[in-house]
Amino acid sequence: MDSAAPFIGTGLAAVGLAYMLRSKPSSNPFPTDTRTPAKAFEHDREVRNATIKPGYSAKKLEKHVAANGDFDAIIIGSGIGSMTCATIMAKAGKKVLVLEQHDQLGGCCHSFYEKGFEFDTGVHYIGEMRNNTAIRFLFDQLTNGQLQWSDVADDYDTVVLVDDENQDAASLKAIEQHVKNGTTLPSFQCSMLSGRERTIVELVKKFPSEEKAIRKYYDLLTEVRKAMLGFVGIKFMPKWAATMLIKTGLVNKYTTYFKLAEKSLTQVLDEITDNKTLKAVLAYNFGDYGTLPKDAPFVMHAVLVNHFLNGVSYPIGGSSEFAYHMFPTVEAAGGKAFVRAEVGEIVCQNGAAVGVRLKKDGTVIKAPMIISNAGLYNTAELLPPTVSPLKNMTESGVQNGVGGISVYVGLNKSNAALNLKGKHFWAFWTKKGQEDLDGVCQKYVDRGGNEMDDGPVPLLFISFPSAKDPLWDEKHPGKASATIVSFCNYDWFGEWEGERVMHRGEGYEKRKKAIGELIWKQTVALFPQLRDCVEYFDVGTPVTNKYYIRAHKGEMYGLDHNKERFTAEATNELRPETDIPNLYLCGQDIFNCGIAGAAFGGLLCASKVLNRNVYADLVDLKKKSPPSIPK
Ligand SMILES: Cc1cc2nc3c(=O)[nH]c(=O)nc-3n(C[C@H](O)[C@H](O)[C@H](O)COP(=O)(O)OP(=O)(O)OC[C@H]3O[C@@H](n4cnc5c(N)ncnc54)[C@H](O)[C@@H]3O)c2cc1C
């Protein structure tokens, strides 16, 4: 690392110089600490909906513009990347229009109500919220201290390895038997604890002869944490400066990140140990970014594990709290957000983005900057044929991420009655002693649509959101909820992507029911107390993701987090600026997935469009502010 220090200095100097040479920066979005003591949670759904479900009409838009003047920017989509960018811009005095196609703001942070139960869609836990970290401070400023966090259990993730010989009909029979008898499938379990050393000790207890390998793994995590600055620096610095570093090969002097990114998670684990069970345990949460260990760069996995290292948290009141507390700031600056406002086209003139056309009524809205939070491939499709469709980005080795499947279950007993813990279980069906997560998961996605339930789903993320939210019992007395997430092949459901939601027909319903019921049986075989408690049950498929969050191919986390995405070249391409003047991108596709990753993608974009290093502004304010404000 020492030999790279001068190059890091050069890189950062290039960033600084580039900022100085740019046109006049906007005002500092973080001049003062805006945290105020948290108010009581707003339970009234009508009051909440006034903020998070502002329906579009041409009349309302006209009225707003008449009163506030033209917008400084339009953002397509309202996920956490958009919310972060819009709120920072608003804090810098910009009038931003956010257009969301769904009937609620928030993207993956939206929640839905059905039969008296509320479910989050894309938020289970977030790291780095327990201490006074920069990202925690960012959320505090964006929500003016109103978004509150609850600690998830100290043993926040438990890896559950169910011994499974062949993932076939015999395995299904064993599951059925346990469901019938109300007994628990035997498994090997190992928990991740808040705190690096505590987790190491826990792992060593389970694998006493593997201490050296375990410590090596954690040392590598630290190496990636340090090298991460190099990845962030490439995104922050002007493209020409990053290109120069890459073309001259100096990039590998500037940072070790891209060298570390050349190895997959599987390769790194193979180098550390031969113990297959340990390897499975260390790779367990690849499902949080959706790429199999053999295809994911070790750096991506390390970033995630580092993010969780000191414990994880949950937004009190649920994920709709993000939008509920951020959009008032956007509006206070003269901005506006609309739902049911799908953008059908990015309008371009002379090759530059000048506005958007709404799909619903053809209204064209103009602004000097168009920012897309819709994801890379969707954005490319919104461009007119006369404009280059972001080829430098779409052809940089990236591809759609894996399709997601979510099972939402409302339970007719309380958390206490069901003895549910506010934590997560990562259950795998794989042969004991020969654990091969790559193998079983690949075999599963390679199944045909008609064979998808021929054996167990090899990976289930099982959570009980009701047990994580301290407000749940107040909101839903006597009830509890479970959400189970897994991945699947988009093609199993792709043929129905053009059909209307709720009207996709018998074939779709049958397939959805089959996979949903299988996932639920597997869950009940691990948690027998849940049997006979189901009051609400629904399944979200990749096609559901496409409908509600416009996931291009039903993916959970945007672009695939494969090795190709994390080369220096692709890192340099996937940035807020595009080759189309006035068109910018924000959110997970230009950084990485996760609430923190996508929010950072929003901050990065805000830095570019405001012509200032917003992260430096944030850190400056953090230094001047107390760690927390009195309650
Ligand atoms: C099942 C699941 C579980 C997850 N769990 C976690 C977790 O526990 N912790 C964590 O940190 N992360 C989690 N994530 C990941 C995290 O939620 C996402 O990475 C992040 O929220 C993505 O934010 P974004 O702003 O980039 O995009 P999104 O949230 O996807 O927002 C994009 C928005 O653009 C809108 N849009 C698209 N096209 C148009 C158009 N033409 N016109 C108007 N609007 C449009 C979409 O409707 C959507 O609202 C999870 C994701 C999923 C799916």
Side-chain angles (χ1 to χ4, degrees):
M1 280 301 288
D2 280 348
S3 63
F7 295 96
I8 292 176
T10 314
L12 293 177
V15 178
L17 182 68
Y19 272 106
M20 276 159 55
L21 292 176
R22 299 178 94 185
S23 55
K24 199 169 161 277
S26 302
S27 25
N28 179 358
F30 300 116
T32 51
D33 186 353
T34 58
R35 291 172 297 178
T36 53
K39 297 191 188 102
F41 178 81
E42 180 55 73
H43 284 276
D44 188 327
R45 282 177 60 201
E46 266 184 43
V47 174
R48 296 182 72 79
N49 288 349
T51 299
I52 61 177
K53 294 191 171 188
Y56 164 80
S57 79
K59 243 190 185 153
K60 284 188 207 162
L61 173 66
E62 226 171 81
K63 206 170 145 198
H64 186 89
V65 174
N68 297 278
D70 288 334
F71 295 105
D72 296 308
I74 296 170
I75 308 189
I76 307 166
S78 68
I80 190 70
S82 161
M83 291 190 259
T84 304
C85 187
T87 311
I88 294 174
M89 289 179 77
K91 281 178 171 265
K94 301 290 178 199
K95 282 177 280 178
V96 184
L97 172 65
V98 175
L99 298 168
E100 168 57 47
Q101 60 84 29
H102 186 27
D103 70 358
Q104 189 182 143
L105 297 170
C108 290
C109 296
H110 83 272
S111 63
F112 68 91
Y113 276 88
E114 281 296 342
K115 307 255 175 343
F117 295 92
E118 184 185 9
F119 294 97
D120 296 324
T121 52
V123 178
H124 296 282
Y125 53 159
I126 301 171
E128 297 178 80
M129 293 298 129
R130 292 186 175 199
N131 322 93
N132 187 26
T133 60
I135 188 84
R136 165 69 197 255
F137 192 70
L138 172 67
F139 284 129
D140 283 355
Q141 295 304 318
L142 296 180
T143 63
N144 300 325
Q146 298 307 301
L147 176 65
Q148 298 291 295
W149 298 93
S150 160
D151 288 354
V152 172
D154 238 15
D155 54 341
Y156 58 91
D157 275 346
T158 295
V159 187
V160 178
L161 300 176
V162 178
D163 184 15
D164 188 280
E165 185 71 32
N166 292 318
Q167 287 85 42
D168 59 8
S171 321
L172 294 178
K173 216 167 157 195
I175 292 163
E176 294 271 5
Q177 204 59 48
H178 281 283
V179 172
K180 198 169 154 221
N181 299 343
T183 47
T184 311
L185 260 176
S187 62
F188 169 88
Q189 301 203 355
C190 181
S191 291
M192 302 297 138
L193 304 178
S194 309
R196 175 192 155 112
E197 197 53 35
R198 290 178 68 210
T199 306
I200 293 177
V201 169
E202 184 68 14
L203 285 166
V204 173
K205 260 194 236 159
K206 297 277 176 180
F207 302 95
S209 59
E210 293 288 339
E211 179 162 1
K212 205 169 147 212
I214 292 165
R215 291 206 174 272
K216 170 82 185 155
Y217 172 78
Y218 277 85
D219 288 347
L220 285 173
L221 295 183
T222 307
E223 206 177 319
V224 174
R225 186 166 50 73
K226 289 180 188 156
M228 184 67 187
L229 189 64
F231 173 77
V232 178
I234 292 285
K235 304 264 183 198
F236 258 104
M237 70 177 71
K239 196 170 176 193
W240 62 262
T243 307
M244 196 182 75
L245 280 180
I246 295 165
K247 288 228 159 113
T248 54
L250 287 175
V251 71
N252 292 325
K253 300 274 183 201
Y254 156 71
T255 175
T256 51
Y257 182 89
F258 299 106
K259 276 276 159 221
L260 289 164
E262 285 172 6
K263 283 190 186 168
S264 70
L265 172 59
T266 297
Q267 278 172 308
V268 169
L269 294 176
D270 284 347
E271 283 171 12
I272 292 177
T273 178
D274 293 327
N275 187 315
K276 293 193 172 156
T277 312
L278 175 61
K279 283 195 266 193
V281 168
L282 296 179
Y284 82 97
N285 51 350
F286 69 87
D288 271 330
Y289 51 87
T291 305
L292 292 185
K294 67 184 169 61
D295 303 318
F298 174 69
V299 287
M300 180 59 225
H301 193 73
V303 164
L304 174 77
V305 179
N306 284 331
H307 179 53
F308 288 165
L309 214 53
N310 291 316
V312 298
S313 310
Y314 177 80
I316 297 178
S319 61
S320 67
E321 283 287 274
F322 287 98
Y324 184 65
H325 292 301
M326 288 196 206
F327 280 104
T329 301
V330 175
E331 296 226 355
K336 184 76 191 143
F338 285 119
V339 298
R340 294 190 296 276
E342 178 166 9
V343 170
E345 185 190 342
I346 295 171
V347 180
C348 294
Q349 268 169 17
N350 303 323
V354 294
V356 298
R357 189 188 309 279
L358 295 186
K359 202 166 178 181
K360 190 174 180 172
D361 59 7
T363 297
V364 171
I365 315 168
K366 294 205 168 176
M369 283 174 214
I370 309 301
I371 299 168
S372 179
N373 174 232
L376 175 59
Y377 289 113
N378 285 331
T379 307
E381 285 174 7
L382 288 174
L383 287 164
T386 48
V387 169
S388 134
L390 305 176
K391 272 189 155 207
N392 58 326
M393 294 187 181
T394 52
E395 293 178 6
S396 64
V398 295
Q399 60 183 36
N400 285 304
V402 69
I405 193 127
S406 301
V407 177
Y408 302 102
V409 189
L411 301 160
N412 64 10
K413 288 190 181 142
S414 68
N415 295 313
L418 291 168
N419 190 25
L420 300 181
K421 301 269 178 307
K423 55 174 286 189
H424 316 104
F425 299 86
W426 289 84
F428 296 90
W429 270 253
T430 175
K431 192 167 161 44
K432 192 175 172 184
Q434 296 300 314
E435 291 82 358
D436 172 15
L437 304 190
D438 281 323
V440 288
C441 292
Q442 189 64 56
K443 206 167 134 196
Y444 161 73
V445 280
D446 288 345
R447 288 178 196 166
N450 291 326
E451 302 140 21
M452 61 178 192
D453 56 346
D454 279 1
V457 177
L459 155 59
L460 298 183
F461 168 83
I462 302 170
S463 75
F464 304 106
S466 54
K468 279 184 294 194
D469 186 358
L471 294 177
W472 176 273
D473 287 336
E474 210 178 300
K475 290 203 278 184
H476 312 278
K479 302 195 184 224
S481 69
T483 302
I484 304 114
V485 184
S486 191
F487 63 106
C488 71
N489 188 329
Y490 183 74
D491 294 342
W492 296 348
F493 297 94
E495 66 186 92
W496 292 283
E497 74 166 39
E499 310 286 329
R500 239 172 0 122
V501 67
M502 314 285 185
H503 295 86
R504 296 195 180 107
E506 222 176 280
Y508 174 78
E509 289 303 324
K510 205 171 145 205
R511 209 166 260 193
K512 179 171 119 156
K513 190 165 176 260
I515 194 90
E517 284 184 355
L518 171 57
I519 288 175
W520 184 239
K521 271 185 207 159
Q522 291 181 232
T523 305
V524 173
L526 292 169
F527 299 91
Q529 74 269 38
L530 304 181
R531 203 186 67 174
D532 307 325
C533 293
V534 177
E535 195 174 309
Y536 169 80
F537 189 88
D538 205 358
V539 181
T541 70
V543 178
T544 319
N545 289 348
K546 176 137 185 137
Y547 182 80
Y548 288 110
I549 53 165
R550 284 293 181 271
H552 192 249
K553 284 284 173 203
E555 64 279 4
M556 287 188 281
Y557 310 115
L559 295 176
D560 191 9
H561 292 73
N562 57 5
K563 281 204 294 174
E564 290 74 8
R565 175 175 172 178
F566 292 91
T567 59
E569 288 78 5
T571 299
N572 191 22
E573 293 298 345
L574 296 171
R575 53 173 51 238
E577 317 92 291
T578 69
D579 51 2
I580 296 162
N582 311 333
L583 177 65
Y584 297 86
L585 306 182
C586 69
Q588 60 190 354
D589 282 0
I590 57 151
F591 197 73
N592 57 43
C593 74
I595 299 303
F600 207 83
L603 179 144
L604 205 55
C605 185
S607 289
K608 297 286 176 183
V609 298
L610 293 175
N611 278 346
R612 60 184 301 134
N613 187 338
V614 166
Y615 187 72
D617 294 331
L618 180 82
V619 172
D620 270 357
L621 177 63
K622 184 170 175 289
K623 279 188 203 144
K624 290 186 268 180
S625 309
S628 59
I629 53 154
K631 295 220 170 184

